[in-house]
Amino acid sequence: MPYTLPQGFQIGNQDPIDSRITVADAGARKGFSVNNVFEGLIVYQQNTDELYVLTDPANVDTDAAWSKIETTSGSSG
């Protein structure tokens, strides 16, 4: 059941507000329950300093379900 927050909320510590945001390694990233993920979930993997997006929530435990978000360095404009 969703909660309505009329004025938002303030975080009072340095922990992520959602335990799915940051994981230790690929095993933890692929270890989520299919009942606790969604297409578009973005996860930071600490041991490799990489970001992943979940593209196939039905197969969260496979490498094919995740796409690494590539970054480029440099300036635009």
Side-chain angles (χ1 to χ4, degrees), residues 29 43-52 68-69:
R29 177 173 45 85
V43 176
Y44 172 71
Q45 188 171 309
Q46 294 173 316
N47 70 327
T48 58
D49 291 330
E50 296 172 330
L51 281 174
Y52 289 87
K68 187 166 90 168
I69 299 173

Side-chain angles (χ1 to χ4, degrees), residues 19-34 36-37 41-48 50-55 57 59-69:
S19 63
R20 299 171 296 182
I21 292 174
T22 302
V23 296
D25 54 30
R29 177 173 45 85
K30 295 185 284 186
F32 292 124
S33 165
V34 295
N36 196 30
V37 295
L41 173 66
I42 296 175
V43 176
Y44 172 71
Q45 188 171 309
Q46 294 173 316
N47 70 327
T48 58
E50 296 172 330
L51 281 174
Y52 289 87
V53 62
L54 182 60
T55 58
N59 296 296
V60 66
D61 60 342
T62 66
D63 286 327
W66 295 91
S67 295
K68 187 166 90 168
I69 299 173

